[in-house]
Amino acid sequence: MKALVQVTLKPDVLDPQGKAIQRASASLGYQAVRSVRQGKIFEIDLDVDDEGLARAILDEFCQKLLANPVMEDYEIVLEEDGDTA
Amino acid sequence: MKALVQVTLKPDVLDPQGKAIQRASASLGYQAVRSVRQGKIFEIDLDVDDEGLARAILDEFCQKLLANPVMEDYEIVLEEDGDTA
Amino acid sequence: MKALVQVTLKPDVLDPQGKAIQRASASLGYQAVRSVRQGKIFEIDLDVDDEGLARAILDEFCQKLLANPVMEDYEIVLEEDGDTA
Amino acid sequence: MKALVQVTLKPDVLDPQGKAIQRASASLGYQAVRSVRQGKIFEIDLDVDDEGLARAILDEFCQKLLANPVMEDYEIVLEEDGDTA
């Protein structure tokens, strides 16, 4: 089973890199870019068929290895693979 | 209009950080994690209503500021906002 | 004048990516790695000769674009260039 | 023994994030910033006293977990700790 995990800074945490990109966009002539927030994404291939189990593993995985729960949020998206997709 | 841009290493580019996370998962007892690939995600708020225009801006934006087209792929997902969402 | 700016998480901020690398090192047989903390580095080329001015610019630069002062520390190292180096 | 490992993109590899910061700096009024290159830094605490051994471990560590040797360079700086520092 494949999964996508998105880790983003909590809304109240300052994101200087996103801010830099937003400012850079203005210098390229893109006045239309109101804000940019940068995060991380993880594409994970799991040797697990059961959706509940996959979610439980990924949840612990996020809390221990992928995100800092104090300042980051994470979102897990499971993707079906195989013939039934 | 809000957009999500995912920037990931091309499949043939080595990803030492993803590899480190995959190895670390084994040390936590997660034998089920076959592979991990790390990428970047950008949440972008655009002052544009037209989907075609938004996509054109973001496409140029990706090529100039968000991704290195030689070694990274990017994917743009537009999200409706407003009352009709 | 060239400068090196190091941006690191404050000591009390959890660093899941550094932790993942430390765990991964154990799985490679490196029991000797006690801890790993990951940060960012910026190599900056400035069109400024005066060291005080360079430092003032970089300081503001760090606070506005390179670091999140709430959770990150930064250190500026100026490197002489030219014949006298 | 403590070590600092700097991982930077090879000079011929495009760095869109560094470029974004350089452009953003112009929008803040810093015309003096000629170029910015972004890299990663790792602060590593090793349970090893011998400098040669520390360097050998870190070298393998860089090649397997910290850097992508195809597109990144790395530099290892050992720092003495203890009473003699």
Side-chain angles (χ1 to χ4, degrees):
Chain A
M1 184 174 283
K2 295 194 179 187
L4 211 61
V5 174
Q6 295 178 5
V7 177
T8 48
L9 286 171
K10 285 181 189 290
D12 59 330
V13 176
L14 197 72
D15 174 15
Q17 297 211 276
K19 194 77 192 159
I21 293 168
Q22 187 269 327
R23 283 180 182 281
S25 72
S27 85
L28 283 173
Y30 299 125
Q31 306 300 334
V33 179
R34 274 193 289 223
S35 78
V36 178
R37 301 276 293 171
Q38 182 170 346
K40 288 174 278 187
I41 195 170
F42 300 92
E43 299 169 301
I44 299 177
D45 189 2
L46 277 184
D47 190 14
V48 166
D49 289 325
D50 182 73
E51 197 178 309
L53 178 58
R55 205 167 278 279
I57 290 176
L58 290 169
D59 204 62
E60 198 184 333
F61 206 48
C62 284
Q63 292 183 46
K64 289 195 179 156
L65 287 179
L66 303 184
N68 178 339
V70 175
M71 60 191 190
E72 292 171 327
D73 292 321
Y74 61 85
E75 191 185 334
I76 297 167
V77 182
L78 295 179
E79 295 170 17
E80 292 292 327
D81 52 3
D83 344 271
T84 60
Chain B
M1 184 173 286
K2 295 194 178 185
L4 211 61
V5 174
Q6 295 178 2
V7 177
T8 48
L9 287 171
K10 284 182 190 290
D12 58 330
V13 175
L14 198 71
D15 174 14
Q17 297 212 276
K19 194 77 192 159
I21 292 168
Q22 187 269 327
R23 282 179 184 280
S25 72
S27 85
L28 283 173
Y30 299 126
Q31 305 301 334
V33 179
R34 274 193 291 226
S35 78
V36 178
R37 302 275 293 170
Q38 182 170 346
K40 287 174 280 189
I41 196 170
F42 300 92
E43 299 170 300
I44 299 176
D45 188 3
L46 278 183
D47 190 14
V48 166
D49 289 324
D50 182 72
E51 196 178 309
L53 178 58
R55 206 167 277 281
I57 290 177
L58 289 169
D59 204 61
E60 197 184 334
F61 205 47
C62 284
Q63 291 182 48
K64 289 196 179 155
L65 287 180
L66 303 184
N68 178 340
V70 175
M71 59 190 191
E72 292 170 327
D73 291 322
Y74 60 85
E75 191 185 333
I76 297 167
V77 182
L78 294 179
E79 296 170 16
E80 290 293 328
D81 54 2
D83 344 272
T84 60
Chain C
M1 184 173 286
K2 295 195 178 187
L4 209 61
V5 174
Q6 295 178 2
V7 177
T8 48
L9 286 171
K10 285 182 189 291
D12 59 330
V13 176
L14 196 71
D15 174 14
Q17 298 212 276
K19 194 77 192 161
I21 292 168
Q22 187 269 326
R23 282 179 184 280
S25 71
S27 85
L28 283 173
Y30 298 125
Q31 305 301 333
V33 179
R34 274 193 288 226
S35 78
V36 179
R37 301 275 293 171
Q38 182 171 344
K40 288 174 280 188
I41 196 170
F42 300 93
E43 299 171 300
I44 299 176
D45 189 3
L46 277 183
D47 190 14
V48 165
D49 289 325
D50 181 72
E51 197 178 309
L53 178 58
R55 207 168 277 278
I57 290 177
L58 289 170
D59 204 60
E60 197 184 334
F61 205 48
C62 284
Q63 291 182 47
K64 289 195 178 155
L65 287 180
L66 303 184
N68 178 339
V70 174
M71 60 191 190
E72 292 171 327
D73 291 321
Y74 61 85
E75 191 185 333
I76 297 167
V77 182
L78 294 179
E79 295 169 17
E80 291 292 328
D81 53 4
D83 344 271
T84 59
Chain D
M1 183 174 284
K2 295 195 178 186
L4 211 60
V5 174
Q6 295 179 3
V7 177
T8 48
L9 286 171
K10 285 181 189 292
D12 59 331
V13 175
L14 197 72
D15 175 14
Q17 297 210 278
K19 194 78 192 158
I21 292 168
Q22 189 269 327
R23 283 180 182 280
S25 71
S27 85
L28 283 172
Y30 299 126
Q31 305 301 332
V33 179
R34 274 192 289 224
S35 78
V36 178
R37 301 275 293 170
Q38 182 170 346
K40 287 174 281 187
I41 196 170
F42 300 92
E43 300 170 300
I44 299 176
D45 189 2
L46 277 184
D47 189 14
V48 166
D49 290 324
D50 182 71
E51 195 178 310
L53 178 58
R55 206 168 277 279
I57 290 177
L58 289 169
D59 205 61
E60 198 184 334
F61 205 48
C62 284
Q63 291 183 47
K64 289 194 179 157
L65 287 180
L66 303 184
N68 178 339
V70 174
M71 60 190 191
E72 292 171 327
D73 291 321
Y74 61 86
E75 191 185 334
I76 296 167
V77 182
L78 294 179
E79 295 169 18
E80 291 292 329
D81 53 2
D83 343 273
T84 61

